[in-house]
Amino acid sequence: MSPFWLVTAVLALAGAAYVLGRARVLSAAAGDHRALHSLPAHYGWAAVQLTLGPALLLYVLLLLAGQAGPIAAAAALVLALAALVWALRRNTPDFRARNAVERGMMAVLILASTIAIATTAGIVLSMLFETRHFFSLYDWREFFFSATWAPQFQGRSQLGILPLLWGTLYISLIALAFAVPVGLFAAIYMSEYAGRRMRAVVKPALEILAGIPTIVYGLFALITVGPLLRDWLAQPLGLGNSASSVMTAGLVMGIMLIPFVSSLSDDIISQVPQSLRDGAFALGATRSETIRQVILPAALPGIVGAVLLAASRAIGETMIVVLGAGAAARLSLNPFEAMTTITVKIVSQLTGDNDFAAPETLVAFALGLTLFLVTLGLNIAALAIVRRYREQYE
């Protein structure tokens, strides 16, 4: 029996369990709901949980043990039938079906949380093990302190992370320098100046930017923004003649980050108590003075949290950098030169038919772990700041 037909059969048994479980308990109570401990639907759902749960759990365990096949499907189906019979025998008017359903739902929620935690732990552990393998083949001091990135699969590679880390931070800083003022000013306008109709138009229009795929932003950087910056700024100023540059990727990434900053900042500014505004107006402050001296200081922790969340999003971006900034690993202050980031090199090192025992391939895991720690630190800082803000005003 294939997994599809097994799931279909078990779901059919679950449907039968609901109908039969509900009908059986009503029949035992002679149709009087008042004689039941729980609602009739609870008895049906209790039978469904008992029919589905053990059978699916057994089948998953057999799959993980490499025993998938007709025997595993038959065992799961037999267990579902046995559980259905037991559920029907258990359904009596005195049975606490509501409590059983609640315990079953709690078990499902705990399982979902465990899967999420186990997935995160698996990702971290896999990177840790592969990173440890990499550092057993390559000197960690060369990795963290070398300014040269020159991987060669024939050997004698130079795998310094500094140029990649510099490119990542440089592009992210340019993106934030563009996104934070624009997003913050947009948030102030939406929360303090715009009417309801204007806000209903402006906020969804800004949030549309968050739904655009990053590959589209990358094509926009490659075809439109890059040539414009090259022709109007880089070449006239003698700073370069390449359409792929840090400035190109940073500006387009900044456009992508605007809704992250504006939407979060707007929600945070809107949560500032109205009494603070009224008090400032009563003292004779203008609207702009109230925003500058009262609202923004009160909302500052939340705004900082929004900026840090946007920064973690910028650090992990790949497609915009690939198409907009190029792939050159270098240390330079010229924003019109091509550079690259950690995420781009992770992709390039794992692309193609590579030897996963070579340092040139294993370095991708060390890069990924470093990037993970950086973004994790930013996310923790952002969550801590936002939590402090919520404790202050909720």
Side-chain angles (χ1 to χ4, degrees), residues 21-64:
R22 189 175 184 276
R24 177 181 173 83
V25 74
L26 286 175
S27 176
D32 186 6
H33 293 190
R34 294 172 299 179
L36 302 176
H37 174 274
S38 306
L39 294 176
H42 288 147
Y43 292 92
W45 284 114
V48 170
Q49 289 180 350
L50 191 57
T51 303
L52 278 179
L56 295 180
L57 181 61
L58 175 64
Y59 189 71
V60 170
L61 291 176
L62 290 176
L63 285 178
L64 295 177

Side-chain angles (χ1 to χ4, degrees), residues 51-392:
T51 303
L52 278 179
L56 295 180
L57 181 61
L58 175 64
Y59 189 71
V60 170
L61 291 176
L62 290 176
L63 285 178
L64 295 177
Q67 300 297 325
I71 297 178
L77 190 58
V78 169
L79 182 59
L81 287 170
L84 173 58
V85 174
W86 182 27
L88 294 179
R89 291 174 61 87
R90 187 183 63 171
N91 272 5
T92 62
D94 295 332
F95 175 60
R96 298 176 177 270
R98 181 180 60 186
N99 297 344
V101 172
E102 290 296 325
R103 288 195 297 269
M105 291 305 301
M106 183 179 295
V108 172
L109 296 177
I110 292 174
L111 178 62
S113 302
T114 304
I115 291 174
I117 295 172
T119 302
T120 304
I123 293 173
V124 174
L125 289 176
S126 64
M127 288 193 297
L128 283 174
F129 290 145
E130 297 298 337
T131 302
R132 180 183 178 185
H133 188 193
F134 167 72
F135 285 128
S136 67
L137 301 174
Y138 192 84
D139 188 2
W140 65 271
R141 289 165 293 189
E142 290 293 327
F143 176 75
F144 285 110
F145 300 109
S146 174
T148 304
W149 174 267
Q152 299 177 5
F153 283 90
Q154 295 79 13
R156 297 182 179 179
S157 296
Q158 293 179 288
L159 304 174
I161 194 177
L162 290 181
L164 310 183
L165 188 61
W166 169 248
T168 301
L169 296 178
Y170 200 1
I171 294 174
S172 299
L173 286 175
I174 292 177
L176 292 174
F178 178 79
V180 171
V182 175
L184 184 57
F185 291 161
I188 293 173
Y189 172 73
M190 288 188 294
S191 61
E192 300 298 324
Y193 289 98
R196 291 185 177 180
R197 293 183 178 180
M198 181 61 70
R199 178 185 172 85
V201 174
V202 173
K203 188 167 185 176
L206 283 175
E207 292 178 348
I208 287 176
L209 294 174
I212 298 176
T214 56
I215 185 64
V216 177
Y217 282 111
L219 293 174
F220 177 63
L222 179 66
I223 298 174
T224 304
V225 178
L228 284 176
L229 292 177
R230 177 193 61 195
D231 297 338
W232 291 89
L233 289 177
Q235 287 183 344
L237 295 176
L239 297 176
N241 55 5
S242 174
S244 298
S245 65
V246 172
M247 185 64 70
T248 300
L251 289 179
V252 176
M253 193 183 298
I255 296 173
M256 180 193 70
L257 296 178
I258 288 175
F260 290 89
V261 178
S262 64
S263 182
L264 291 174
S265 298
D266 173 51
D267 294 338
I268 292 163
I269 292 174
S270 299
Q271 291 177 5
V272 174
Q274 183 63 33
S275 59
L276 296 180
R277 298 177 175 85
D278 296 339
F281 292 147
L283 292 174
T286 63
R287 178 171 293 183
S288 61
E289 290 172 341
T290 301
I291 293 171
R292 186 175 64 254
Q293 299 179 11
V294 177
I295 296 176
L296 288 183
L300 185 61
I303 294 173
V304 172
V307 172
L308 291 178
L309 289 175
S312 64
R313 179 69 179 84
I315 290 174
E317 178 55 40
T318 302
M319 293 309 304
I320 295 176
V321 180
V322 170
L323 298 177
R330 60 164 59 96
L331 291 170
S332 175
L333 292 175
N334 186 358
F336 295 99
E337 286 187 356
M339 294 186 194
T340 191
T341 62
I342 293 175
T343 55
V344 174
K345 289 307 177 183
I346 291 175
V347 174
S348 63
Q349 295 305 114
L350 295 178
T351 301
D353 188 13
N354 296 330
D355 181 11
F356 275 81
E360 292 77 15
T361 301
L362 293 173
V363 68
F365 297 96
L367 294 173
L369 183 61
T370 303
L371 191 65
F372 172 79
L373 294 176
V374 172
T375 55
L376 179 63
L378 288 175
N379 287 329
I380 291 174
L383 291 175
I385 294 173
V386 171
R387 182 176 302 173
R388 177 183 176 185
Y389 171 78
R390 287 176 178 171
E391 289 177 354
Q392 185 176 359

